[in-house]
Amino acid sequence: MSIVTVQLGQCGNQIGFEVFDALFRDSHCSQGLCSKRDNEAYQASCRERFFREEENGVPVARAVLVDMEPKVINQTLSKAAQSGRWNYGQHTSFCQKQGSGNNWAYGYSVHGPKHEESIMNLIQTEVEKCDSLSGFFIIMSMAGGTGSGLGAFVTQKLQDQYSSSLKMNQIIWPYGTGEVIVQNYNSILTLSHLYRSSDALLIHENDAVHKICAKRMNIKQISFRDLNRVLAHQLGSVFQPTYSEDSSFHYRRNPLDSETVGQACLMPRIFVWSLSATNLSFYPQTGDLMEHLVPHPEFKMLGVRNIPQMSAASLAYSTFTWAGLLKHLRQMLISSAKMEEGINWQVRPPLSGLPPIGKASAHKEHHFNTSLANLVVLRGREVHSADVEGFKDPALYTSWLEPVDAFSVWKTQRAFDKYEKSAALVSNSQLLVKPLDMIVGKAWNMFSSKAFIHQYTKFGMEEEDFLDSFALLEQVVASYGSLGP
Amino acid sequence: MRRRRSRVEGAARALPEAVAALSRCLPAGPSPEIFRRAKFDRPEAAPVLWQLLLRVLSPLAANNTWTDLAPEAQACLVKSALGSQGYPRSVLLQFPDGSSQGSRELLLALSWLLARGPLLEQLLAQTRVQLGDQLPQWEAPTSPGPPAPFVEPKSPVDLRLVEWLMGRLRFRWRCLISSQQEQCILLSKIHLYTQGCHSQRSLGHLSVAETEMLRDPESGQQLLQALESENIRLEAALEWRRRELVFWQWMDTVLDTCSPETPAVTSQPTVLPAISEGGLGELESVKQELQALQEELREVSEPRRAAWEARVGGLGQGPEWSNSRKALQEAVQQELAALQGSWERSSTPGQPQRPHRLVRSKDGAPRPQGLQAAEVIRTLSAKEACLKKVLHQLQRQCQQELARLAGALPGLIWILPPEH
């Protein structure tokens, strides 16, 4: 089942490139720590999902690149072509000469309708090249103009045209002290529109990724490229193939073995693989991720955590145990920590009937993060011995959902990106409530003094739209708040 | 004397053979001995017959999970299914679930089902071995099957949990649709690549089952075994048809052995349609009324049409109108088809469709038999339009009900979910 990626704006295109690169590099990594057969199946699954075959054998990413300025797209395309290992398709990009000026309304109301047909045609072409479409992965930022406004528009059109396909939006949460003055307006408009038309919002905060780069990766001069690589690493650890918990650890014998193809049969090789790839119970579908994490329409925000994260130099000298990794990951979840350093170990799950230790009113930092649903992905050596019982504790979850429904775990022996063991957590919990609340508050302050509103209203937006967005996001904050005891 | 004795012996053999044939063509058919014990209401026959009835009544019983149910649950399901089919005898309902009483009543229920409709044919059709490719099931099942056992919730269920589960269902549904689309694409590829491989010229290409057979000899063996066992069942069914008279005569005796005070009038009314006594007379009057209405309609519409023509005059001609005219015509055709569909549906309730094999052929090639894909698409679009109409109607009713409720409680503000 294939995923079509739509890279929107400067941010979306740069990140998209790093994601494909990370996925490709990992799938061709020789230090997989698993059998050759498993490795081949892993590689093939990854390729079918994110790449397609071309005649010259170089895999082509299943992606559509959209930006209003040509500079970043050209850079992205040339970087991919230079690597020689994988490439973007020939006619899969769309750009114009003029940007959106960080104006959400310009992206949504002007660029969107004007270029709707060209962009949707590009996507349609890419979809037709998939044997089976699992869904769309849309990478965009929230604070700019193109990624946010045009991204919201495109997601809405995808909802109209491909209503039965899944959609996940990868959203970059801007720095708290960002450079764009109206980034809060752009953010709330984006979030509220996406909440209506997307299935899942996978959110990465620039501040958090920046800290990981500084503290864990020991990078002195942090560039956007470093941030994007960390991000791509986190996404890759979620999206690469795995076994799901209940499927068996056997899989069909490799049908590409030429002796099994009968002489009377005239089918070409590629077709045989397509038929059996869909029978592979090797990896769970994207639908599984959605079904386990975001079925409720009010709770669509997902956060990603991945440990361990360290520079390649330190990696060579480190060893890990599953017990240690999982303990840290669990505490990161409970205390809403962004990385594995500086975790607040004081926060504990509430005992049933008693209020949580460190009441929220007095110590905001000790607030216990109640989860709605969690997914843990474990990759690496001896993964069967990993004990995830700590995540099945009912105290971690909201009262109306049992841990058996709320928690799922995916495992594979195959190591990811040279990390001997790595654990990722995709969490639908109160992790993002505080940042969201802050952005809504700041935007409201600006709105109540009508600052910069004319920039938006002159492109067809109305104050009503702003009010609707505020109302929806307040509702989201309230819903997530009500999860806790 | 000898002839009479051999005739009697022949008659004595006929019944067990008939019952044996019957049990060979039923799925998981019990031995004839069970039937005999059931006539005398023996307890050991009861659990077997409960299971048999469950398999026969539930269209989903093909997968074995149903037979893993506890006997109480099985009995409950069978009773509710029989009730929904209109089974007249209420004695069966009185036996507690899971007991081993009532094997004679179970036998009566089974023969009632057999007598009532083409049960054997339906069962055999369900387990047909398919050599060709089928479309995914596009006939909505006419009977909804037995309702799920009612489970009392331990505590009030949180609405958010219900919304969560609904969301999961919706995702599964969407995944199902994607899988079906994928299946169609792959089928199309197989058909394209195996053109010219089939021995039958009229078909031209292989189906998935045939391709799998060529690729993997083991599956060919399995297919052969499946076909052989299907043959056995079909032969048994034919034999049953020849001998079934004996069985019915025997069932009469079983009915006679039941206690005479079983009430003839049932507590639940049957759902079989009854034609009223004055039916024909009513039909006449309805026909006359219809004709009168048609006359009236014509009288009213003609002057209006003339007035409209006068107003519109020469408009509507010319090239720029042709597109909109075409679109209008299509829309009108769809509406008409939907109306027709809603009339036709009530007249032909669920005739089992003969399964069709999917065959890909070049355009224009003469096809003497079978349905064209275009026809099927038209039928399905008509059905879709009809169902959409019904959906909109129901939604309007819901909205009206909500509005009424909102009006009834002044002082309460209702926030309705956003329109999609």
Side-chain angles (χ1 to χ4, degrees), chain A residues 40-57:
Chain A
E40 277 173 8
Y42 182 88
Q43 224 178 65
S45 305
C46 170
R47 295 242 308 221
E48 203 227 336
R49 227 181 201 191
F50 292 103
F51 298 90
R52 55 181 159 85
E53 293 284 337
E54 291 277 290
E55 281 83 28
N56 56 0

Side-chain angles (χ1 to χ4, degrees), chain A residues 260, chain B residues 212-222:
Chain A
T260 64
Chain B
E212 196 62 25
M213 235 183 354
L214 287 174
R215 205 166 71 87
D216 179 14
E218 273 175 36
S219 70
Q221 284 291 94
Q222 286 173 355

Side-chain angles (χ1 to χ4, degrees), chain A residues 276-303:
Chain A
S276 55
T278 57
N279 289 338
L280 266 185
S281 52
F282 189 3
Y283 63 85
Q285 325 277 15
T286 318
D288 286 354
L289 191 153
M290 305 282 212
E291 190 195 321
H292 284 116
L293 289 174
V294 289
H296 199 294
E298 276 175 25
F299 301 97
K300 287 184 183 172
M301 295 202 299
L302 299 173

